[in-house]
């Protein structure tokens, strides 16, 4: 839950060990085998698009990062995309608006850097459509290196391709 002392700050290298532990608590240690991890591969997160939620001077209670990926079109065209997520919030602090604030920060930073024209994620369609304008309208022909519930494959931005192809690291 958001409190008066909760702030959103840029992700710094010293936050990474705590963020990894937070991701394990939020998604379980088997998270590395999930399809989203397979899509981004060994890519490094995009600098300037990672944020943490801090409660006062404490360590991060939430985090978000973005990743460079691409849709390798069946027609041979490679479409660069930015993968948003995962959004992780300490299980004891979920359902209080922290994830929304983190997502807002990442999307605002992506806009500032000109990286918001082709973004995607795997997530809850009702939530991400309602608050952030993501939809599955152009993702129906995308393939992934693992299983996915098609309605959870979401995108937003003017340059999101409506094309057949395979998602993977850029």
């Amino acid at each position: 839950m958001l409190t008066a002392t909760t702030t959103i700050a840029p992700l710094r290298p010293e936050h990474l060990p705590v963020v990894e532990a937070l991701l394990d608590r939020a998604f379980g240690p088997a998270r590395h085998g999930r399809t989203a991890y397979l899509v981004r591969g060994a890519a490094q997160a995009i600098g300037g698009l990672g944020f943490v939620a801090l409660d006062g001077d404490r360590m991060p209670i939430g985090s978000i990062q973005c990743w460079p990926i691409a849709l390798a079109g069946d027609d041979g065209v490679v479409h660069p995309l930015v993968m948003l997520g995962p959004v992780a919030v300490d299980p004891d602090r979920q359902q209080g608006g922290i994830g929304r604030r983190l997502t807002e920060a990442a999307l605002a930073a992506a806009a500032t850097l000109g990286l918001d024209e082709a973004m995607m994620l795997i997530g809850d369609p009702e939530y991400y459509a309602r608050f952030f304008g993501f939809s599955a309208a152009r993702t129906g022909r995308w393939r992934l290196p693992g299983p996915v519930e098609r309605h959870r494959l979401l995108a937003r931005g003017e340059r999101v391709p409506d094309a057949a192809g395979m998602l993977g690291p850029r």
Side-chain angles (χ1 to χ4, degrees), residues 39-61:
V39 168
R40 70 181 200 225
Q44 296 296 312
I46 299 171
L49 297 186
F51 293 89
V52 292
L54 303 170
D55 193 5
D57 293 332
R58 295 181 50 202
M59 295 305 287
I61 57 171

Side-chain angles (χ1 to χ4, degrees), residues 107-123:
L107 292 174
T112 299
L113 297 173
L115 297 174
D116 65 332
E117 293 293 316
M119 300 188 78
M120 64 79 54
L121 59 81
I122 300 171

Side-chain angles (χ1 to χ4, degrees), residues 15-31:
H15 294 140
L16 291 175
V18 175
V19 166
E20 285 299 310
L22 176 65
L23 288 165
D24 281 345
R25 283 195 313 280
F27 299 109
R31 66 187 164 88

Side-chain angles (χ1 to χ4, degrees), residues 120-158:
M120 64 79 54
L121 59 81
I122 300 171
D124 177 39
E126 290 80 21
Y127 177 81
Y128 286 102
R130 177 179 175 199
F131 292 112
F132 307 111
F134 283 85
S135 83
R138 291 184 266 172
T139 66
R141 297 184 292 154
W142 295 3
R143 295 184 308 279
L144 291 87
V148 69
E149 297 174 61
R150 302 299 309 176
H151 70 284
R152 294 175 56 82
L153 184 57
L154 309 172
R156 76 174 225 172
E158 294 296 319

Side-chain angles (χ1 to χ4, degrees), residues 9-116:
L11 177 70
R12 296 191 319 255
E14 60 266 26
H15 294 140
L16 291 175
V18 175
V19 166
E20 285 299 310
L22 176 65
L23 288 165
D24 281 345
R25 283 195 313 280
F27 299 109
R31 66 187 164 88
H32 295 282
R34 290 179 143 189
T35 299
Y37 282 80
L38 299 175
V39 168
R40 70 181 200 225
Q44 296 296 312
I46 299 171
L49 297 186
F51 293 89
V52 292
L54 303 170
D55 193 5
D57 293 332
R58 295 181 50 202
M59 295 305 287
I61 57 171
S63 71
I64 190 169
Q65 295 180 70
C66 296
W67 309 87
I69 66 162
L71 178 74
D74 291 349
D75 59 2
V77 176
V78 176
H79 305 273
L81 296 160
V82 173
M83 180 180 224
L84 180 75
V87 181
V89 177
D90 188 288
D92 294 334
R93 303 292 296 267
Q94 292 177 356
Q95 303 299 318
I98 294 170
R100 185 172 173 184
R101 292 261 317 272
L102 286 163
T103 303
E104 289 168 348
L107 292 174
T112 299
L113 297 173
L115 297 174
D116 65 332

